[in-house]
Amino acid sequence: MTSIVDKEISKNAQPHSKRSWWILSVGLLAVRFVQGWIYWGGGSRRFIYGPQKLNPHDHWMAYKFQTAMPGAILGTQHIIAFLLHHFTLLYAGVIIFSAVELVSGLMLLTGFLTRLAAFLTLGLSFTLMLMFGWQGATCIDEWTMAASNFAMGITLVLLGSGAYSLDNWVARKNPVLAEKGWFRWLGGSTPLPLSDGAFKKLALVLFWIGVVFIVGTYSYYRGSVVTPFHGDPTGVKAHHIALTKGRIVDHKTLDVTMYVDAGTPTVPAHIIWIRLENAAGKTLDRWNAKTLSHLNPKAIHNIFAYQKVAPDPLLGLEAGLAAKATLELPLVRPLNNPSANSHDKIVMQGINGVVSTGMVS
């Protein structure tokens, strides 16, 4: 490696720059290896060690993507919802995402076309932050992982593979190739083909992109930057259910759409009772846990095919994070004048004590 570095940076080198670059190339080994192992591990778990994660007939990655919807930002929740309704695109997306993880991770581990691989991991980190950065009930672990990977990706894009890499081996075997600008932009263990001033500008631009991205997402999820600390916008510690589209159908059925828009993905929410109340708060009808447990599954119309709302034998209704469904609740006492109930409200309580309300339209 030393001969390649000497040749490439001696043209316009500052004192000690050759030795400094050599030190950097060795010092970066841990960064390159860890970044590579993280993404290699993510891809290999699905393709090699846990293939059920890519099996649509099993509890596969679609469930994980759906649980990301409540807290996903910058419109990615709409992309996820679209993919969940289009299986072919969803499956292709899961395979491509996993393959990019696997290949870019292996490229970083071996130091092959390192800058290209690092750029790919920047895209993965950015996507993961937007989708999953909100998850992590105690230490925002998903945010921490994406932020760290983003910073390591920027470092490797700027500095390349360093020592003990295939890029370095290829450059030694093919000195002419080492002179090519495209090779040094895609990989290479030598500096980018830029002047010192241009390299500094590029590094500072990437630095400020990283600062804005990391500090901005942290401020949104947790505060502690320009606002006081706060729980993340989705409330990962407690399930919450949003109620919409409440209406009386044929004088005998209450239709209501429920969406688990907050909570932890590790356990489902449980709905233990639902009430229909008038504007004065008087109960017009009620469905307790026993009634909900025996609700006809055909009366539950799930919007998505993965996380679902379903009867629980003991605890009313069970619903995973991001489950969305329209319930058809039979009225015990049919309402003769549904139009008079436009100010009535639906009240739903989970087993955690959180109460959700919605209006009848």
PDB file of all heavy atoms in Angstrom, residues 86-107:
ATOM      1  N   HIS A  86     -49.353  -3.969  -2.424  1.00  0.00           N
ATOM      2  CA  HIS A  86     -48.867  -4.456  -3.724  1.00  0.00           C
ATOM      3  C   HIS A  86     -47.766  -5.477  -3.458  1.00  0.00           C
ATOM      4  O   HIS A  86     -46.584  -5.122  -3.348  1.00  0.00           O
ATOM      5  CB  HIS A  86     -48.354  -3.301  -4.588  1.00  0.00           C
ATOM      6  CG  HIS A  86     -49.428  -2.310  -4.946  1.00  0.00           C
ATOM      7  ND1 HIS A  86     -49.835  -1.300  -4.075  1.00  0.00           N
ATOM      8  CD2 HIS A  86     -50.175  -2.175  -6.078  1.00  0.00           C
ATOM      9  CE1 HIS A  86     -50.786  -0.594  -4.655  1.00  0.00           C
ATOM     10  NE2 HIS A  86     -51.011  -1.093  -5.859  1.00  0.00           N
ATOM     11  N   PHE A  87     -48.165  -6.744  -3.351  1.00  0.00           N
ATOM     12  CA  PHE A  87     -47.257  -7.785  -2.886  1.00  0.00           C
ATOM     13  C   PHE A  87     -46.002  -7.894  -3.749  1.00  0.00           C
ATOM     14  O   PHE A  87     -44.893  -8.042  -3.220  1.00  0.00           O
ATOM     15  CB  PHE A  87     -47.975  -9.138  -2.858  1.00  0.00           C
ATOM     16  CG  PHE A  87     -47.045 -10.280  -2.544  1.00  0.00           C
ATOM     17  CD1 PHE A  87     -46.665 -10.523  -1.235  1.00  0.00           C
ATOM     18  CD2 PHE A  87     -46.527 -11.080  -3.561  1.00  0.00           C
ATOM     19  CE1 PHE A  87     -45.785 -11.559  -0.937  1.00  0.00           C
ATOM     20  CE2 PHE A  87     -45.652 -12.113  -3.264  1.00  0.00           C
ATOM     21  CZ  PHE A  87     -45.283 -12.356  -1.950  1.00  0.00           C
ATOM     22  N   THR A  88     -46.144  -7.840  -5.057  1.00  0.00           N
ATOM     23  CA  THR A  88     -44.979  -8.021  -5.925  1.00  0.00           C
ATOM     24  C   THR A  88     -43.923  -6.962  -5.658  1.00  0.00           C
ATOM     25  O   THR A  88     -42.726  -7.268  -5.526  1.00  0.00           O
ATOM     26  CB  THR A  88     -45.387  -7.982  -7.413  1.00  0.00           C
ATOM     27  OG1 THR A  88     -46.351  -9.015  -7.658  1.00  0.00           O
ATOM     28  CG2 THR A  88     -44.180  -8.198  -8.320  1.00  0.00           C
ATOM     29  N   LEU A  89     -44.360  -5.707  -5.548  1.00  0.00           N
ATOM     30  CA  LEU A  89     -43.414  -4.629  -5.262  1.00  0.00           C
ATOM     31  C   LEU A  89     -42.839  -4.762  -3.857  1.00  0.00           C
ATOM     32  O   LEU A  89     -41.650  -4.501  -3.635  1.00  0.00           O
ATOM     33  CB  LEU A  89     -44.107  -3.277  -5.418  1.00  0.00           C
ATOM     34  CG  LEU A  89     -44.555  -2.894  -6.832  1.00  0.00           C
ATOM     35  CD1 LEU A  89     -45.304  -1.566  -6.815  1.00  0.00           C
ATOM     36  CD2 LEU A  89     -43.353  -2.811  -7.776  1.00  0.00           C
ATOM     37  N   LEU A  90     -43.679  -5.167  -2.912  1.00  0.00           N
ATOM     38  CA  LEU A  90     -43.224  -5.354  -1.539  1.00  0.00           C
ATOM     39  C   LEU A  90     -42.147  -6.428  -1.469  1.00  0.00           C
ATOM     40  O   LEU A  90     -41.082  -6.227  -0.878  1.00  0.00           O
ATOM     41  CB  LEU A  90     -44.404  -5.736  -0.643  1.00  0.00           C
ATOM     42  CG  LEU A  90     -44.062  -6.134   0.798  1.00  0.00           C
ATOM     43  CD1 LEU A  90     -43.478  -4.953   1.553  1.00  0.00           C
ATOM     44  CD2 LEU A  90     -45.311  -6.670   1.514  1.00  0.00           C
ATOM     45  N   TYR A  91     -42.420  -7.560  -2.094  1.00  0.00           N
ATOM     46  CA  TYR A  91     -41.456  -8.668  -2.041  1.00  0.00           C
ATOM     47  C   TYR A  91     -40.152  -8.295  -2.731  1.00  0.00           C
ATOM     48  O   TYR A  91     -39.057  -8.569  -2.222  1.00  0.00           O
ATOM     49  CB  TYR A  91     -42.059  -9.917  -2.686  1.00  0.00           C
ATOM     50  CG  TYR A  91     -41.238 -11.160  -2.439  1.00  0.00           C
ATOM     51  CD1 TYR A  91     -41.209 -11.741  -1.173  1.00  0.00           C
ATOM     52  CD2 TYR A  91     -40.487 -11.752  -3.459  1.00  0.00           C
ATOM     53  CE1 TYR A  91     -40.456 -12.868  -0.931  1.00  0.00           C
ATOM     54  CE2 TYR A  91     -39.729 -12.879  -3.221  1.00  0.00           C
ATOM     55  CZ  TYR A  91     -39.720 -13.436  -1.952  1.00  0.00           C
ATOM     56  OH  TYR A  91     -38.962 -14.547  -1.702  1.00  0.00           O
ATOM     57  N   ALA A  92     -40.281  -7.640  -3.898  1.00  0.00           N
ATOM     58  CA  ALA A  92     -39.078  -7.199  -4.609  1.00  0.00           C
ATOM     59  C   ALA A  92     -38.290  -6.204  -3.762  1.00  0.00           C
ATOM     60  O   ALA A  92     -37.055  -6.262  -3.698  1.00  0.00           O
ATOM     61  CB  ALA A  92     -39.463  -6.573  -5.948  1.00  0.00           C
ATOM     62  N   GLY A  93     -38.997  -5.294  -3.082  1.00  0.00           N
ATOM     63  CA  GLY A  93     -38.332  -4.310  -2.245  1.00  0.00           C
ATOM     64  C   GLY A  93     -37.578  -4.948  -1.091  1.00  0.00           C
ATOM     65  O   GLY A  93     -36.442  -4.558  -0.784  1.00  0.00           O
ATOM     66  N   VAL A  94     -38.190  -5.946  -0.450  1.00  0.00           N
ATOM     67  CA  VAL A  94     -37.538  -6.635   0.665  1.00  0.00           C
ATOM     68  C   VAL A  94     -36.286  -7.366   0.177  1.00  0.00           C
ATOM     69  O   VAL A  94     -35.224  -7.313   0.821  1.00  0.00           O
ATOM     70  CB  VAL A  94     -38.516  -7.618   1.337  1.00  0.00           C
ATOM     71  CG1 VAL A  94     -37.784  -8.515   2.329  1.00  0.00           C
ATOM     72  CG2 VAL A  94     -39.635  -6.862   2.041  1.00  0.00           C
ATOM     73  N   ILE A  95     -36.406  -8.052  -0.964  1.00  0.00           N
ATOM     74  CA  ILE A  95     -35.259  -8.788  -1.507  1.00  0.00           C
ATOM     75  C   ILE A  95     -34.139  -7.830  -1.889  1.00  0.00           C
ATOM     76  O   ILE A  95     -32.958  -8.056  -1.567  1.00  0.00           O
ATOM     77  CB  ILE A  95     -35.684  -9.629  -2.733  1.00  0.00           C
ATOM     78  CG1 ILE A  95     -36.646 -10.745  -2.306  1.00  0.00           C
ATOM     79  CG2 ILE A  95     -34.462 -10.219  -3.429  1.00  0.00           C
ATOM     80  CD1 ILE A  95     -36.042 -11.787  -1.398  1.00  0.00           C
ATOM     81  N   ILE A  96     -34.481  -6.747  -2.589  1.00  0.00           N
ATOM     82  CA  ILE A  96     -33.448  -5.787  -3.028  1.00  0.00           C
ATOM     83  C   ILE A  96     -32.776  -5.139  -1.829  1.00  0.00           C
ATOM     84  O   ILE A  96     -31.539  -5.025  -1.771  1.00  0.00           O
ATOM     85  CB  ILE A  96     -34.072  -4.731  -3.959  1.00  0.00           C
ATOM     86  CG1 ILE A  96     -34.497  -5.379  -5.282  1.00  0.00           C
ATOM     87  CG2 ILE A  96     -33.083  -3.594  -4.218  1.00  0.00           C
ATOM     88  CD1 ILE A  96     -35.317  -4.473  -6.173  1.00  0.00           C
ATOM     89  N   PHE A  97     -33.566  -4.701  -0.854  1.00  0.00           N
ATOM     90  CA  PHE A  97     -33.007  -4.067   0.339  1.00  0.00           C
ATOM     91  C   PHE A  97     -32.047  -5.025   1.047  1.00  0.00           C
ATOM     92  O   PHE A  97     -30.937  -4.636   1.431  1.00  0.00           O
ATOM     93  CB  PHE A  97     -34.135  -3.657   1.275  1.00  0.00           C
ATOM     94  CG  PHE A  97     -33.699  -2.828   2.442  1.00  0.00           C
ATOM     95  CD1 PHE A  97     -33.699  -1.443   2.357  1.00  0.00           C
ATOM     96  CD2 PHE A  97     -33.281  -3.416   3.632  1.00  0.00           C
ATOM     97  CE1 PHE A  97     -33.287  -0.657   3.428  1.00  0.00           C
ATOM     98  CE2 PHE A  97     -32.864  -2.654   4.701  1.00  0.00           C
ATOM     99  CZ  PHE A  97     -32.869  -1.265   4.607  1.00  0.00           C
ATOM    100  N   SER A  98     -32.470  -6.267   1.222  1.00  0.00           N
ATOM    101  CA  SER A  98     -31.635  -7.258   1.911  1.00  0.00           C
ATOM    102  C   SER A  98     -30.384  -7.567   1.105  1.00  0.00           C
ATOM    103  O   SER A  98     -29.291  -7.747   1.673  1.00  0.00           O
ATOM    104  CB  SER A  98     -32.434  -8.541   2.151  1.00  0.00           C
ATOM    105  OG  SER A  98     -33.578  -8.290   2.946  1.00  0.00           O
ATOM    106  N   ALA A  99     -30.511  -7.633  -0.223  1.00  0.00           N
ATOM    107  CA  ALA A  99     -29.354  -7.927  -1.079  1.00  0.00           C
ATOM    108  C   ALA A  99     -28.338  -6.789  -1.024  1.00  0.00           C
ATOM    109  O   ALA A  99     -27.126  -7.030  -0.998  1.00  0.00           O
ATOM    110  CB  ALA A  99     -29.821  -8.158  -2.509  1.00  0.00           C
ATOM    111  N   VAL A 100     -28.824  -5.548  -1.011  1.00  0.00           N
ATOM    112  CA  VAL A 100     -27.902  -4.409  -0.914  1.00  0.00           C
ATOM    113  C   VAL A 100     -27.167  -4.452   0.422  1.00  0.00           C
ATOM    114  O   VAL A 100     -25.960  -4.187   0.489  1.00  0.00           O
ATOM    115  CB  VAL A 100     -28.666  -3.078  -1.080  1.00  0.00           C
ATOM    116  CG1 VAL A 100     -27.751  -1.891  -0.779  1.00  0.00           C
ATOM    117  CG2 VAL A 100     -29.215  -2.960  -2.495  1.00  0.00           C
ATOM    118  N   GLU A 101     -27.870  -4.803   1.482  1.00  0.00           N
ATOM    119  CA  GLU A 101     -27.205  -4.959   2.779  1.00  0.00           C
ATOM    120  C   GLU A 101     -26.114  -6.018   2.709  1.00  0.00           C
ATOM    121  O   GLU A 101     -24.984  -5.795   3.167  1.00  0.00           O
ATOM    122  CB  GLU A 101     -28.227  -5.369   3.847  1.00  0.00           C
ATOM    123  CG  GLU A 101     -29.078  -4.249   4.391  1.00  0.00           C
ATOM    124  CD  GLU A 101     -29.863  -4.691   5.609  1.00  0.00           C
ATOM    125  OE1 GLU A 101     -30.598  -5.692   5.519  1.00  0.00           O
ATOM    126  OE2 GLU A 101     -29.741  -4.034   6.653  1.00  0.00           O
ATOM    127  N   LEU A 102     -26.455  -7.162   2.157  1.00  0.00           N
ATOM    128  CA  LEU A 102     -25.516  -8.285   2.094  1.00  0.00           C
ATOM    129  C   LEU A 102     -24.288  -7.925   1.262  1.00  0.00           C
ATOM    130  O   LEU A 102     -23.146  -8.106   1.695  1.00  0.00           O
ATOM    131  CB  LEU A 102     -26.219  -9.501   1.503  1.00  0.00           C
ATOM    132  CG  LEU A 102     -25.408 -10.796   1.454  1.00  0.00           C
ATOM    133  CD1 LEU A 102     -25.348 -11.417   2.843  1.00  0.00           C
ATOM    134  CD2 LEU A 102     -26.036 -11.787   0.473  1.00  0.00           C
ATOM    135  N   VAL A 103     -24.513  -7.406   0.056  1.00  0.00           N
ATOM    136  CA  VAL A 103     -23.411  -7.134  -0.872  1.00  0.00           C
ATOM    137  C   VAL A 103     -22.553  -5.970  -0.387  1.00  0.00           C
ATOM    138  O   VAL A 103     -21.315  -6.052  -0.391  1.00  0.00           O
ATOM    139  CB  VAL A 103     -23.965  -6.861  -2.286  1.00  0.00           C
ATOM    140  CG1 VAL A 103     -22.838  -6.418  -3.220  1.00  0.00           C
ATOM    141  CG2 VAL A 103     -24.635  -8.110  -2.840  1.00  0.00           C
ATOM    142  N   SER A 104     -23.183  -4.877   0.037  1.00  0.00           N
ATOM    143  CA  SER A 104     -22.391  -3.735   0.499  1.00  0.00           C
ATOM    144  C   SER A 104     -21.606  -4.094   1.757  1.00  0.00           C
ATOM    145  O   SER A 104     -20.463  -3.653   1.931  1.00  0.00           O
ATOM    146  CB  SER A 104     -23.292  -2.524   0.764  1.00  0.00           C
ATOM    147  OG  SER A 104     -24.239  -2.796   1.787  1.00  0.00           O
ATOM    148  N   GLY A 105     -22.190  -4.902   2.624  1.00  0.00           N
ATOM    149  CA  GLY A 105     -21.471  -5.339   3.817  1.00  0.00           C
ATOM    150  C   GLY A 105     -20.256  -6.169   3.462  1.00  0.00           C
ATOM    151  O   GLY A 105     -19.167  -5.981   4.021  1.00  0.00           O
ATOM    152  N   LEU A 106     -20.411  -7.098   2.515  1.00  0.00           N
ATOM    153  CA  LEU A 106     -19.282  -7.932   2.084  1.00  0.00           C
ATOM    154  C   LEU A 106     -18.204  -7.085   1.409  1.00  0.00           C
ATOM    155  O   LEU A 106     -16.999  -7.314   1.624  1.00  0.00           O
ATOM    156  CB  LEU A 106     -19.786  -9.013   1.127  1.00  0.00           C
ATOM    157  CG  LEU A 106     -18.748 -10.022   0.627  1.00  0.00           C
ATOM    158  CD1 LEU A 106     -18.142 -10.789   1.802  1.00  0.00           C
ATOM    159  CD2 LEU A 106     -19.378 -10.994  -0.368  1.00  0.00           C
ATOM    160  N   MET A 107     -18.610  -6.102   0.615  1.00  0.00           N
ATOM    161  CA  MET A 107     -17.646  -5.220  -0.040  1.00  0.00           C
ATOM    162  C   MET A 107     -16.829  -4.439   0.985  1.00  0.00           C
ATOM    163  O   MET A 107     -15.621  -4.247   0.827  1.00  0.00           O
ATOM    164  CB  MET A 107     -18.377  -4.265  -0.985  1.00  0.00           C
ATOM    165  CG  MET A 107     -18.966  -4.948  -2.215  1.00  0.00           C
ATOM    166  SD  MET A 107     -20.132  -3.882  -3.130  1.00  0.00           S
ATOM    167  CE  MET A 107     -19.009  -2.629  -3.797  1.00  0.00           C
TER     168      MET A 107
END
